Amino acid sequence: MLEVTPIKAFYDNYLWLFQRAGSHDCVIVDPGDAEPVLQFLSKNSLNLTAIFITHHHADHTGGIEKLLKEYDIPVYGPDSANIPAVSHPVKEGSQIQMFGEIFKVLEIPGHTLDHIAYYTSANKDEESPVLFCGDTLFAGGCGRVFEGTHPMMYKSLQKLAQLPPETRVFCAHEYTMANLAFARAVTPENETLKKRVQRDESKRELDQPTVPSSIKVELATNPFLRCEDPEIIAAAQRHSGHSSDRPDDVFAAIRSWKDSF
Ligand SMILES: [Zn+2]
């Protein structure tokens, strides 16, 4: 079984650490800060064997250098001039063998041009697939479109939406309640969303992470994955004043709306 543990960093980042249950070897995804990772490794007597990077932003890469001073290990990540520490550049279709599982690389540009995700069907033990998707798909929302275009980001999100519904979605931030507040504004009639808000609110009250989510939950409640839904098209048209019902345009309208929500 793959155990995936959040290490909190900064204000609301999750650095995801994974290992095979019972093993001391582990991998860290997006170590924006080395200190909490080193503390966690030491406290739990773990041995870091690799680093996975999803994109170049400092809150995902800032700890690499310091970790490499302690551990001589490979750094997997996009082939990007912005991340010189990547020793093993990967791209769409690349496969990484780790702890008996195969992680597949998906290119998902939009938030940044170099953004990638790591997916494993983890079928060795018939458990749910695992997705590390950085700042592209969030629980209840999606990342801002900084470097790409809206159609590019929408296409990347659609790629993630095609993954098996039971896939566990490990995104890099605890933005869920703010995302769900926006989702409520777009789809006030969505009953599944109302239930999700209650569930995730109770988790936050206990200071528990609302992540991982799943593709199934996102397909039912995340407006950015549902740009062909009549309720969302109507909301996008009302807010933007444009009449287009093309999914790209609906996505652009609600993403811009969320930017100033
Ligand atoms: Zn980012």
Side-chain angles (χ1 to χ4, degrees):
M1 200 182 119
L2 276 186
E3 267 180 18
V4 188
T5 310
I7 298 176
K8 289 186 187 178
F10 310 113
Y11 181 63
D12 53 23
N13 281 67
Y14 291 133
L15 320 182
W16 294 107
L17 179 138
F18 70 89
Q19 62 198 115
R20 185 150 284 291
S23 162
H24 289 277
D25 290 342
C26 64
V27 171
I28 187 78
V29 183
D30 285 351
D33 188 4
E35 214 43 57
V37 179
L38 290 169
Q39 280 172 20
F40 188 90
L41 295 171
S42 155
K43 193 175 160 203
N44 295 281
S45 308
L46 295 175
N47 175 42
L48 192 63
T49 59
I51 296 173
F52 283 10
I53 299 296
T54 63
H55 68 292
H56 71 81
H57 284 157
D59 61 325
H60 298 250
T61 57
I64 302 176
E65 212 174 304
K66 195 165 179 190
L67 290 174
L68 290 180
K69 284 193 180 131
E70 305 285 328
Y71 295 91
D72 182 17
I73 52 175
V75 181
Y76 296 90
D79 192 0
S80 162
N82 293 317
I83 326 173
V86 167
S87 61
H88 290 57
V90 290
K91 56 180 198 284
E92 178 75 29
S94 294
Q95 300 195 344
I96 306 165
Q97 285 256 16
M98 199 60 69
F99 309 148
E101 307 292 353
I102 294 172
F103 284 82
K104 291 180 184 167
V105 174
L106 306 168
E107 289 180 357
I108 48 168
H111 175 71
T112 64
L113 291 176
D114 63 4
H115 207 305
I116 59 174
Y118 300 88
Y119 169 80
T120 179
S121 57
N123 52 11
K124 207 173 166 196
D125 301 310
E126 294 181 7
E127 57 185 335
S128 316
V130 168
L131 173 72
F132 297 109
C133 55
D135 290 352
T136 297
L137 176 60
F138 284 131
C142 74
R144 281 179 185 255
V145 181
F146 285 124
E147 295 177 6
T149 62
H150 285 118
M152 185 190 276
M153 182 70 162
Y154 184 63
K155 197 173 163 197
S156 295
L157 289 167
Q158 285 299 303
K159 195 187 245 185
L160 301 180
Q162 308 298 318
L163 295 171
E166 67 275 19
T167 302
R168 289 172 283 168
V169 177
F170 293 92
C171 56
H173 289 273
E174 181 61 64
Y175 288 162
T176 313
M177 295 325 296
N179 286 337
L180 294 181
F182 176 71
R184 286 294 302 274
V186 180
T187 56
E189 306 300 327
N190 185 329
E191 292 300 324
T192 314
L193 175 60
K194 284 182 198 166
K195 285 182 196 137
R196 179 180 187 182
V197 170
Q198 286 171 359
R199 202 170 59 234
D200 283 343
E201 244 165 21
S202 338
K203 283 186 188 161
R204 293 312 294 148
E205 277 162 17
L206 300 170
D207 199 28
Q208 291 171 354
T210 60
V211 185
S213 171
S214 72
I215 293 293
K216 184 181 175 188
V217 166
E218 295 309 320
L219 284 172
T221 54
N222 186 328
F224 296 101
L225 295 188
R226 310 175 65 241
C227 293
E228 294 177 53
D229 182 292
E231 190 186 1
I232 293 173
I233 294 170
Q237 289 174 336
R238 261 197 319 275
H239 193 267
S240 68
H242 298 301
S243 60
S244 171
D245 61 356
R246 289 181 57 238
D248 278 352
D249 294 332
V250 172
F251 175 77
I254 60 171
R255 185 56 259 183
S256 305
W257 178 3
K258 172 72 167 65
D259 286 347
S260 54
F261 184 74

